[in-house]
Amino acid sequence: MAKKDRKKEYTRVRADSGQHRRIMAVMLVFGVAAFIPVALQLYQLMITDYDYYSGLALRNQTRVTNVTAHRGTIYDRNMNILAFSETVENVYLDPHELKQSKADMDLVARELSQILDADPERILKLGKDLTKRYQQIAANIDEDTAAKVRYFINSNNISGIHLEPSSKRTYPYETLAAQVIGFTNASNTGSEGIEASYNAYLEGKAGKVITTKGNNEMDMPYSYEKYVEAIPGCDVVLTLDATVQACLEKQMQAAIAKYDVQNGAFGIVMEVKTGKILAMATLGSYDPNNYLEIADETDLQETEQLKLSYLSLPEGTEAYEKAKAAYQSAVTAARLKQWRNRVLSDGYEPGSTFKVLTMAAALDCGAIDLNTGFHCSGSEKIPGRSQLLHCWRSTGHGSETTAQALQNSCNLAFAHIALKLGGERFYDYISRFGIMEKTGIDLAGESKGVFFDRELIVNTDKWGTASLTSGSFGQTFKLTPLQLVRAISAVVNGGNLMEPYIVSEVLDADGKTVLQQEPTAIRQVISSETSKTMCELLKSVVDVGTAKNASVSGFSIGGKTGTSEKIDVLDENGQPTLDKIVSFVGVAPMDDPEYIVLVALDTPSRATGTYISGGVMAAPTVGAVMADILPYLGVKQSFSEEDAAGKTVVLDDFSGMTAAEADKRLKALGLTAQYIGTGEAVTGQIPQSGAAIPGNSQILLYMGDEVPEQTVEVPDFTGMNRQQASAAAGALGIYILPTGNQDVSPAVTVTAQDIAPKTQVRAGTIIRLEFADTKAPV
């Protein structure tokens, strides 16, 4: 029995043991199954997403403060600073830190408001606003102000006020070359111009300071700090010359005022042999130091009126939102307009300035020569044109040589030149002059204008000759001013099409050259012989043609006038406005061309009474630019006998000389004298020694008598011809220096003077007068 019971007990225990193993196995299976997701999650956290979560942990424990890199400086070619960055600081409040440190917020608000010239109520409000980690209360403060803030913090042992270094961009020349230089935005990133195009070089690489932080993001001093040094940006050296730029803008601004130009002006000065840009201007301009401010008074008034309009409406209404959107749109448009560099971004009809390319092409391929004759009767029915073609001179020019066709700017002659040239050759030459392509200048925003499709020019049997003939004298298509200047440079520099550029080199922080730009010839367009012939022809346009008003005594200048109608500009009734752009392209010196100058005036007012044309308005403007920049650029003057009145002579000191000695010296200088008194030697003179007076002038030498201290009132010379101005000046004992049109003719009169009428001046003062034929055509 006992044996049987032991057997049953063994069987039971064995059964329990098996059941236990089964239970353990099931538990193991379920345990493993339950652990697998956990294991997978741990794997993902610790292996797959390790970088992500370690990054989060690092960010929770550290604070990274960016250190702004010093932005590079922009220089002109003479290393004058055009744009530079100065270190400034921004001031922030940390409301959590201020609260935890139990800072006296009334004291903080009161003292900081005085140091920062800020509203104490605003500082107090921001310092208590716990919804944000940091609150900026001041931006771009200078070093002296920052030092006062630090002194306040340290003196009062306050935690929660932080200063972060930043950078402020400054443009010392203000509006000068604004569209070329551009500006930096609130993020210190280049916007527009050089600042944008060379931002990658200028901006450098920001550094950073890494520190640890604890609860409530409080700094943990002395625990950990790492500093990554910022890499400063490179300096950019331009081909631009600040002096040449200032001269160009000065004369353009004077023309805008004189001719009441409605839509500003644009101009450029370039070296014809290299493509270096010495000056590039768009007026009206703006100050990049305050780039968001609207500089144009008319645009400013219009936007202010729109602002008042929407503010007068109930806020939140549909009318309010619509009026507000109109205001914002107008502000944006006004800003974009003043930032725009018209020299490389805007197309315009070049008008008669384009005739330079047409004639160069025709001479180069032999379609015409200097002996080719033309006849202009004022209008003509050209084969292949449905409309009668008119010349600007309704009575016609009669018989003309090739040179006279250019001098007279005769549309009919150029229509026949285009026909002789033929559509295919015309199109090919214009293409080789670069009119169908961008110039490749190292500035953003360049366009390439709009020219005819080849089919319209070449297939005259199908499309007629209207496009060919109109294109020959620069109408019914558009190009950019830079395209035109580059093409005409090729005409006068020996035939080479150059790539224009405005950055000479880029220098790193150690002064080492990172980028060096050199002149680049794209292709040979015309022969050197044709180029030489064209130089002679362009000089004749200034000497005897429509551009006499561009003359400058002592300098050999050539060029071409242009007047084009803005046929795509309509008035409120949808009709053409007949507004005009007048322009002149000048080149000097013509015996070996170095510089080209273009000035275009957009929509001169008819109210001035001055004949609207490139010859009357733009030619004298370019002449004035040439008179300013050529001596500065080292171009030597050479005077003929006829030019002597335009030559300036620096007076010697004649004190102590006898009359015979003075006469000998005066003869060498090309001057004469009137002697006053009976003494043996000169005791005084008018003008004083060192004064620069016109050649062939007469001076006053006092022999024993004292020089009288007298002043005279400057007359208004406007409208006087050369003889009248000389007589009026001589009667007052003052001198005139004539500039501009050198013709001695009743039609050539004074249009400007450098000393205002009714100004009191000493006897012997020299007044510069600008002469022009205000009835000159084209």
Side-chain angles (χ1 to χ4, degrees), residues 441-457:
I441 189 172
D442 49 335
L443 281 172
E446 183 183 12
S447 63
K448 63 175 182 178
V450 180
F451 198 69
F452 305 103
D453 290 337
R454 183 183 183 89
E455 176 74 7
L456 290 175
I457 296 292

Side-chain angles (χ1 to χ4, degrees), residues 255-477:
I256 288 173
K258 183 190 296 186
Y259 306 121
D260 191 22
V261 178
Q262 301 298 299
N263 294 320
F266 48 87
I268 184 172
V269 181
M270 190 175 85
E271 291 184 357
V272 299
K273 296 176 182 177
T274 66
K276 291 181 182 178
I277 306 294
L278 301 187
M280 181 183 286
T282 299
L283 300 182
S285 194
Y286 70 100
D287 184 351
N289 293 296
N290 303 292
Y291 62 91
L292 293 178
E293 294 183 4
I294 298 173
D296 184 84
E297 286 296 327
T298 301
D299 290 342
L300 181 61
Q301 291 175 9
E302 290 177 356
T303 55
E304 287 299 315
Q305 188 60 43
L306 289 171
K307 183 178 181 180
L308 292 174
S309 176
Y310 90 77
L311 289 176
S312 66
L313 298 170
E315 188 173 355
T317 63
E318 183 179 349
Y320 173 90
E321 295 299 332
K322 185 176 181 180
K324 183 179 180 180
Y327 161 72
Q328 293 172 335
S329 177
V331 168
T332 299
R335 288 171 178 168
L336 291 174
K337 184 177 80 170
Q338 69 184 18
W339 299 341
R340 189 173 182 84
N341 187 342
R342 297 181 66 182
V343 174
L344 55 90
S345 296
D346 284 8
Y348 78 111
E349 283 195 10
S352 294
T353 55
F354 194 79
K355 292 172 180 173
V356 177
L357 306 185
T358 302
M359 181 162 283
L363 287 170
D364 193 63
C365 71
I368 62 170
D369 58 33
L370 294 180
N371 297 316
T372 303
F374 304 94
H375 183 81
C376 172
S377 58
S379 62
E380 184 178 344
K381 182 66 172 65
I382 301 293
R385 285 183 66 107
S386 59
Q387 295 179 326
L388 201 64
L389 180 62
H390 296 273
C391 187
W392 62 266
R393 185 173 185 176
S394 59
T395 57
H397 294 103
S399 296
E400 300 173 290
T401 63
T402 297
Q404 289 170 332
L406 189 65
Q407 294 160 9
N408 295 332
S409 194
C410 178
N411 288 350
L412 294 184
F414 272 86
H416 283 285
I417 291 173
L419 294 176
K420 292 176 182 292
L421 184 58
E424 189 163 345
R425 287 191 297 189
F426 176 75
Y427 192 92
D428 287 344
Y429 267 100
I430 299 309
S431 179
R432 289 169 62 191
F433 275 122
I435 302 305
M436 286 79 153
E437 63 193 36
K438 294 181 180 180
T439 67
I441 189 172
D442 49 335
L443 281 172
E446 183 183 12
S447 63
K448 63 175 182 178
V450 180
F451 198 69
F452 305 103
D453 290 337
R454 183 183 183 89
E455 176 74 7
L456 290 175
I457 296 292
V458 173
N459 194 348
T460 54
D461 291 338
K462 180 178 180 180
W463 300 106
T465 61
S467 296
L468 173 61
T469 52
S470 295
S472 71
F473 45 81
Q475 292 184 10
T476 64
F477 68 90

Side-chain angles (χ1 to χ4, degrees), residues 524-693:
Q524 180 91 16
V525 183
I526 59 174
S527 69
S528 59
E529 291 78 11
T530 301
S531 177
K532 184 178 180 180
T533 299
M534 285 301 302
C535 286
E536 295 171 354
L537 293 173
L538 289 171
K539 182 178 182 298
S540 74
V541 175
V542 175
D543 289 344
V544 298
T546 58
K548 288 182 180 180
N549 289 338
S551 300
V552 180
S553 293
F555 292 110
S556 173
I557 295 174
K560 186 68 191 76
T561 54
T563 306
S564 59
E565 291 186 354
K566 298 165 65 176
I567 58 175
D568 55 346
V569 178
L570 307 178
D571 61 20
E572 62 274 12
N573 299 315
Q575 299 300 313
T577 60
L578 301 182
D579 291 342
K580 295 180 179 180
I581 293 179
V582 298
S583 61
F584 179 71
V585 181
V587 179
M590 293 313 296
D591 57 340
D592 184 17
E594 294 285 345
Y595 306 103
I596 184 169
V597 180
L598 164 68
V599 169
L601 309 174
D602 190 346
T603 316
S605 173
R606 292 177 172 81
T608 63
T610 303
Y611 184 80
I612 297 176
S613 78
V616 171
M617 297 174 169
T621 304
V622 171
V625 173
M626 292 285 196
D628 284 344
I629 69 173
L630 292 181
Y632 167 76
L633 293 171
V635 179
K636 293 183 179 180
Q637 289 178 282
S638 177
F639 294 93
S640 64
E641 289 294 329
E642 294 77 13
D643 291 334
K647 177 182 180 181
T648 56
V649 178
V650 178
L651 285 182
D652 293 343
D653 184 354
F654 293 92
S655 298
M657 292 186 184
T658 64
E661 291 171 336
D663 281 339
K664 183 177 180 180
R665 181 59 186 147
L666 287 167
K667 184 177 181 181
L669 294 173
L671 303 173
T672 59
Q674 178 184 348
Y675 293 94
I676 300 173
T678 58
E680 293 293 326
V682 176
T683 55
Q685 66 186 70
I686 294 178
Q688 297 296 317
S689 62
I693 66 173

Side-chain angles (χ1 to χ4, degrees), residues 155-178:
S155 298
N156 295 276
N157 196 27
I158 295 175
S159 296
I161 304 173
H162 301 282
L163 291 94
E164 181 182 83
S166 186
S167 181
K168 178 185 177 183
R169 200 66 165 166
T170 299
Y171 303 90
Y173 286 90
E174 299 177 339
T175 61
L176 189 77

